[in-house]
């Protein structure tokens, strides 16, 4: 019998401690969490942030630390334009981080207040989230910053909802769990979804896309009841397209006739040992109320969360890990994409994509 060498198979997994990916947008909070004169704490990539909204309605994100003595600015106050530190009253423009006043300065002091800045990050709102562009500490922002990710929708009128849960793991383990095609019949066993007895062989085609890969448009699995119900409603085939794009985005689009469902899941890095799934979905399925979807959506997220909590127990002991066969190929692509992007940024050379072209993967689920 051939022995599978775990040490050789875990090369990709060993990169789990390679660090965070900077110069990307990450969701920091729900838009509904900020407003009025409230200052809200958040943490992304182990960077403490303070979020708020100006009196003009513009969201902002600053490093949650006064450059004077390090007091968290979230303990201070917002007057609609300016964030004031609670320790010595230093005041900073909320949308630029520029210092506008130091109360302790006398008329004889020559310090140029306007040259002092609190840490500040670009901030945009999309799909009910406050997104923050996280550039590496000590680095300059790029001259051109792309727009924050937006959920794809196909009609003007649609329902939308948001769900989230925390995972006690490094973002890499959260991401490869998110894209893992083989855990469904075991983690998500439900009367409305799949059962272990429904496991069968599947073949899916994947293709490279910029900074990621796509599960090409295909007919959903016959052992997924919701897709089969949608087909019966419309009388037309259902097609599903799933994308993964660095640093952490998984999108899925399901279409059948004029009906559609679009979702995006992001695995948001909070600390090295903690990440968060932020899930948003939109649809024009007239028969699916938001309240019903949230019930089933919460069940799914809770199943994933419980699995990651249990996995964290094992990972504490630094076991050898393995990525094997086609079911783990998306995880290998993720680690290669991440490593190649880091190398490309280091050298300035074009990023090499780990996929040479379309490929068909086989697995059972």
């Amino acid at each position: 019998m051939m022995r599978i060498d775990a040490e050789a198979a875990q090369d990709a997994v060993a990169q789990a401690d390679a660090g965070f990916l900077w110069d990307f947008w990450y969701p920091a909070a729900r838009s509904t969490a900020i407003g009025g004169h409230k200052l809200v704490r958040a943490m992304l990539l182990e960077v403490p942030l303070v979020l708020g909204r100006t009196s003009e309605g513009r969201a902002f994100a600053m490093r949650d630390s006064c450059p004077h003595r390090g007091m968290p600015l979230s303990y201070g106050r917002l007057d609609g334009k300016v964030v004031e530190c609670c320790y010595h009253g230093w005041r900073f423009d909320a949308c630029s981080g520029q210092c506008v006043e130091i109360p302790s300065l006398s008329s004889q002091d020559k310090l140029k207040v306007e040259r002092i800045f609190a840490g500040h990050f670009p901030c945009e709102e999309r799909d009910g989230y406050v997104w923050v562009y996280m550039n590496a500490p000590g680095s300059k922002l790029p001259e051109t910053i792309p727009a924050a990710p937006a959920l794809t929708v196909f009609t003007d009128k649609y329902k939308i909802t948001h769900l989230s849960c925390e995972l006690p793991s490094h973002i890499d383990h959260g991401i490869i769990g998110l894209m893992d095609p083989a855990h469904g019949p075991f983690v998500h066993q439900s009367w409305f979804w799949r059962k272990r007895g429904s496991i069968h062989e599947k073949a899916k085609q994947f293709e490279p896309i910029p900074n990621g890969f796509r599960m090409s448009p295909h007919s959903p699995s016959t052992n997924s009841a919701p897709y089969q119900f949608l087909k019966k409603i419309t009388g037309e085939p259902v097609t599903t397209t799933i994308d993964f794009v660095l640093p952490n985005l998984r999108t899925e689009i399901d279409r059948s006739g004029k009906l559609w469902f679009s979702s995006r899941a992001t695995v948001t890095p909070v600390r090295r040992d903690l990440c968060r799934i932020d899930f948003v979905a939109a649809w024009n399925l007239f028969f699916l109320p938001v309240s019903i979807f949230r019930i089933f959506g919460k069940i799914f997220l809770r199943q994933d969360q419980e699995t990651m909590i249990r996995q964290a127990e094992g990972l504490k002991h630094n076991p050898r890990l393995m990525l094997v066969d086609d079911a783990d190929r998306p995880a290998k692509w993720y680690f290669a994409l991440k490593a190649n992007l880091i190398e490309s940024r280091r050298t300035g050379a074009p990023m090499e994509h780990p996929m040479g072209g379309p490929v068909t993967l086989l697995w059972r689920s």
Side-chain angles (χ1 to χ4, degrees):
M1 180 181 294
M2 183 180 69
R3 176 178 177 272
I4 297 178
D5 188 343
E7 185 173 0
Q10 69 168 356
D11 287 345
V13 183
Q15 299 181 53
D17 290 327
F20 299 123
L21 285 179
W22 302 91
D23 298 317
F24 283 106
W25 290 98
Y26 292 94
R30 286 288 311 281
S31 293
T32 52
I34 62 173
H37 291 177
K38 182 168 58 174
L39 293 172
V40 175
R41 290 183 173 187
M43 183 171 288
L44 292 177
L45 290 75
E46 298 186 337
V47 176
L49 302 174
V50 57
L51 310 176
R53 192 185 300 281
T54 67
S55 54
E56 288 78 26
R58 182 179 174 185
F60 65 85
M62 301 172 64
R63 189 179 182 94
D64 195 14
S65 177
C66 178
H68 180 212
R69 300 280 185 86
M71 174 64 70
L73 291 172
S74 54
Y75 285 122
R77 70 183 188 93
L78 169 66
D79 67 3
K81 287 187 176 181
V82 172
V83 175
E84 181 181 280
C85 179
C86 70
Y87 197 3
H88 295 92
W90 287 32
R91 291 163 57 81
F92 302 90
D93 178 77
C95 292
S96 68
Q98 185 178 41
C99 187
V100 297
E101 182 183 356
I102 298 178
S104 62
L105 294 182
S106 70
S107 59
Q108 304 301 312
D109 287 308
K110 297 181 180 180
L111 179 65
K112 294 186 177 181
V113 172
E114 67 276 8
R115 293 185 178 180
I116 300 173
F117 285 82
H120 187 267
F121 298 86
C123 187
E124 290 185 9
E125 292 188 75
R126 292 281 190 280
D127 310 316
Y129 290 101
V130 178
W131 293 77
V132 178
Y133 189 85
M134 299 297 294
N135 60 303
S139 69
K140 293 184 179 180
L141 287 169
E143 293 184 4
T144 302
I145 299 176
L151 184 68
T152 300
V153 296
F154 299 94
T155 55
D156 293 332
K157 294 183 178 180
Y158 54 85
K159 301 180 178 77
I160 189 168
T161 192
H162 308 78
L163 296 168
S164 67
C165 72
E166 290 188 339
L167 307 177
S169 67
H170 188 283
I171 182 175
D172 287 349
H173 288 295
I175 286 177
I176 65 174
L178 184 73
M179 66 177 64
D180 173 23
H183 74 279
F186 303 93
V187 173
H188 298 300
Q189 290 186 51
S190 303
W191 64 267
F192 60 89
W193 192 246
R194 295 175 187 170
K195 298 179 180 179
R196 184 178 301 194
S198 69
I199 294 176
H200 63 279
E201 187 165 300
K202 300 176 182 178
K204 305 291 184 184
Q205 181 169 310
F206 289 78
E207 57 191 279
I209 58 177
N211 280 358
F213 51 87
R214 169 173 296 156
M215 184 186 291
S216 306
H218 61 281
S219 298
S221 176
T222 55
N223 62 347
S224 297
Y227 296 125
Q228 300 310 310
F229 180 70
L230 179 58
K231 183 178 180 180
K232 288 183 179 180
I233 290 290
T234 64
E236 299 189 41
V238 180
T239 60
T240 295
T241 305
I242 300 175
D243 288 359
F244 174 80
V245 179
L246 291 178
N248 62 344
L249 303 176
R250 180 196 184 276
T251 62
E252 179 173 341
I253 295 174
D254 305 304
R255 305 197 71 177
S256 181
K258 295 181 179 180
L259 300 184
W260 58 268
F261 179 93
S262 177
S263 68
R264 181 188 64 229
T266 58
V267 183
T268 303
V270 179
R271 303 188 308 263
R272 288 187 181 274
D273 61 347
L274 180 67
C275 56
R276 184 182 69 246
I277 293 181
D278 291 303
F279 178 84
V280 56
W283 63 90
N284 73 339
L285 310 179
F286 61 89
F287 53 86
L288 181 58
V290 170
S291 58
I292 297 298
F293 177 83
R294 288 182 62 84
I295 291 173
F296 294 118
K298 287 180 179 179
I299 292 174
F300 261 66
L301 283 186
R302 186 165 59 249
Q303 290 169 335
D304 281 325
Q305 184 182 43
E306 290 175 351
T307 298
M308 298 302 290
I309 289 172
R310 292 170 178 174
Q311 184 190 31
E313 291 183 23
L315 292 176
K316 287 189 300 185
H317 306 289
N318 297 314
R320 291 194 178 279
L321 307 177
M322 300 175 63
L323 294 178
V324 296
D325 303 324
D326 282 7
D328 283 335
R329 191 84 65 86
K332 295 179 181 179
W333 288 335
Y334 162 68
F335 285 117
L337 282 164
K338 181 177 178 180
N340 293 355
L341 176 63
I342 293 172
E343 181 65 11
S344 172
R345 289 178 172 178
R346 186 186 69 82
T347 64
M351 176 181 166
E352 180 180 351
H353 202 291
M355 298 177 66
V359 60
T360 298
L361 301 185
L362 300 173
W363 67 82
R364 298 184 72 245
S365 69

